Amino acid sequence: MKPKKRTIPYDLLIKLVSVAKGLVFHSIEENFSDQNELASPYPTALLCNHVSEADVVSLSMVYPRLNPKIKMIIPAREDILKPGFLQKEFRAKGIIKWIFQFIDATKIIPILLRYIGAVPIKRPFRDNARELVKSGELREKVDSEWTELVANIRRGRNLFMFPEGTYNHDGFLNQIKRGAFYIKSKIDSLHFNSFTLTYDHLSYQKTKLYIKYGKPFQIDSELTADQVTRLVGEKLGKNYTITLGNLTSYVLLKFGKETKIKKQQLVELLLKLKKQIESTFPEITVASELKKESFHNQLESIFEKLKNFKLIDWEEETIQTKEILYHIPKSLHNLKKSNIVMYHRNQLTAHLTHLEEVWNGIFTNQGVFHETN
């Protein structure tokens, strides 16, 4: 197996995709575990959490960090590679509708994605999978798709893979599927690395993206499928970034009932939490905004958005949480829309044990936390 090294047209095409970052994101912050790069010796599977359509742009930002840079194979939902995807997916109106229809008519998106390395993958109970289930052909179809992925790796490409298989809808990871275990069982020499995307939808007018790059790891051939899925979940979950948006959400939900708090008190509490997280759990990545002593402008953006969502009242220097903030929706399928605070707090799921320790220490004046009170 010889790696397919990148070419100038390949790099330029990915660069073209990355141009969309200004349309999608306010800014992008990268944090590295090792030497400002993402180690990807051939053959490597690069694993990432799956948040939204914007992940396509995120991948184009990750690619320049690969060392070495090798052409990729990327499993993609089947409909992205079919005609008319943009308008069907976004149902845009007005001039955007005409722009999307024009782009769809050129068929440029499936052409470019296939050139980059995207291959269509069936999603359970999506696409035309229902019909395949009824006809008994789904298992055969899925097996052929995974066989094609393995064949592409053996032809010299590294693999980008979303182990969840679909978007995570509640802010954290969905159930990790067995893809990494399957690929490892077919290519024993496969290396693994990961990166985690954290989207802060609260702190700015546009979403800010945080990318935390992981360290290379191996999957022992003796591990069971369940053990592999747990390992992958831990690698991705522990690399979520603590942002101003999700830490503020954590604090607001800790109140547990309608509460009034002065803006300056909230700032001081956030700073205490941040300082103790950094000193006690340095392995947790903290966003640059929280490392500043002043983040009032970003907090005002958060309060304004939460007020518009009717989750808080905000007058002058006082924030009052509302009862609806603490209601858990019946469905978590689109939690970002129904309760954006819970959505952001859930990004911290893998860190909650550590956060609870810090929180309890601050309010009980015990041990290392005494000096912050």
Side-chain angles (χ1 to χ4, degrees), residues 273 295 335:
L273 283 168
F295 35 73
L335 190 59

Side-chain angles (χ1 to χ4, degrees), residues 129-179:
R130 286 187 176 89
E131 289 75 12
L132 293 173
V133 169
K134 291 179 180 178
S135 66
E137 299 176 45
L138 181 61
R139 182 72 266 164
E140 181 180 343
K141 178 64 177 175
V142 170
D143 285 344
S144 69
E145 291 171 345
W146 281 102
T147 299
E148 179 64 17
L149 286 178
V150 171
N152 272 283
I153 296 172
R154 288 177 172 155
R155 293 185 193 118
R157 291 178 180 257
N158 279 341
L159 173 69
F160 264 134
M161 186 169 69
F162 297 111
E164 298 160 274
T166 186
Y167 302 144
N168 47 68
H169 298 292
D170 72 349
F172 193 57
L173 300 172
N174 285 326
Q175 180 181 3
I176 303 295
K177 304 299 190 296
R178 297 188 174 191

Side-chain angles (χ1 to χ4, degrees), residues 121-363:
I121 294 293
K122 295 285 182 194
R123 296 170 297 165
F125 306 105
R126 296 290 298 272
D127 306 318
N128 64 333
R130 286 187 176 89
E131 289 75 12
L132 293 173
V133 169
K134 291 179 180 178
S135 66
E137 299 176 45
L138 181 61
R139 182 72 266 164
E140 181 180 343
K141 178 64 177 175
V142 170
D143 285 344
S144 69
E145 291 171 345
W146 281 102
T147 299
E148 179 64 17
L149 286 178
V150 171
N152 272 283
I153 296 172
R154 288 177 172 155
R155 293 185 193 118
R157 291 178 180 257
N158 279 341
L159 173 69
F160 264 134
M161 186 169 69
F162 297 111
E164 298 160 274
T166 186
Y167 302 144
N168 47 68
H169 298 292
D170 72 349
F172 193 57
L173 300 172
N174 285 326
Q175 180 181 3
I176 303 295
K177 304 299 190 296
R178 297 188 174 191
F181 174 80
Y182 178 86
I183 295 290
K184 172 66 177 179
S185 71
K186 300 299 181 182
I187 304 177
D188 188 59
S189 60
L190 193 64
H191 304 278
F192 289 88
N193 208 332
S194 68
F195 56 99
T196 299
L197 309 174
T198 307
Y199 289 15
D200 185 348
H201 303 286
L202 287 174
S203 299
Y204 299 91
Q205 289 304 308
K206 286 185 188 178
T207 300
K208 180 168 181 179
L209 167 64
Y210 300 83
I211 307 174
K212 175 57 185 289
Y213 296 100
K215 293 182 178 180
F217 65 97
Q218 297 295 323
I219 293 180
D220 195 304
S221 300
E222 302 301 317
L223 295 182
T224 66
D226 288 343
Q227 289 172 325
V228 171
T229 57
R230 283 196 296 271
L231 174 62
V232 170
E234 289 173 4
K235 294 291 182 181
L236 295 175
K238 290 181 179 179
N239 276 338
Y240 273 82
T241 300
I242 293 185
T243 71
L244 182 59
N246 57 38
L247 190 61
T248 301
S249 297
Y250 170 80
V251 170
L252 293 176
L253 288 171
K254 284 296 292 182
F255 296 149
K257 60 182 180 179
E258 292 179 275
T259 302
K260 285 187 177 181
I261 183 170
K262 293 289 186 181
K263 177 181 174 182
Q264 187 56 38
Q265 290 177 313
L266 183 57
V267 169
E268 292 172 359
L269 180 53
L270 289 168
L271 285 172
K272 283 183 180 181
L273 283 168
K274 183 268 297 187
K275 289 177 181 177
Q276 291 298 346
I277 291 167
E278 287 183 316
S279 63
T280 312
F281 304 107
E283 70 276 11
I284 297 178
T285 302
V286 175
S288 60
E289 289 83 2
L290 282 167
K291 294 181 179 180
K292 302 173 183 177
E293 292 298 317
S294 176
F295 35 73
H296 289 73
N297 289 340
Q298 283 73 47
L299 269 181
E300 289 183 6
S301 175
I302 292 173
F303 299 152
E304 192 63 44
K305 288 184 178 181
L306 297 187
K307 186 175 181 179
N308 290 338
F309 279 110
K310 303 185 185 307
L311 297 174
I312 67 167
D313 283 326
W314 173 36
E315 295 183 3
E316 296 181 354
E317 295 299 307
T318 301
I319 299 97
Q320 179 172 353
T321 61
K322 301 178 75 170
E323 183 181 359
I324 191 173
L325 174 70
Y326 306 100
H327 288 178
I328 300 175
K330 292 181 179 179
S331 172
L332 302 181
H333 181 71
N334 192 356
L335 190 59
K336 186 173 69 173
K337 182 177 181 180
S338 58
N339 192 324
I340 197 168
V341 173
M342 287 187 180
Y343 176 90
H344 281 79
R345 190 277 310 275
N346 285 352
Q347 292 176 343
L348 304 176
T349 299
H351 302 314
L352 285 179
T353 300
H354 293 333
L355 287 174
E356 291 296 303
E357 182 178 335
V358 170
W359 178 272
N360 293 334
I362 287 175
F363 287 98

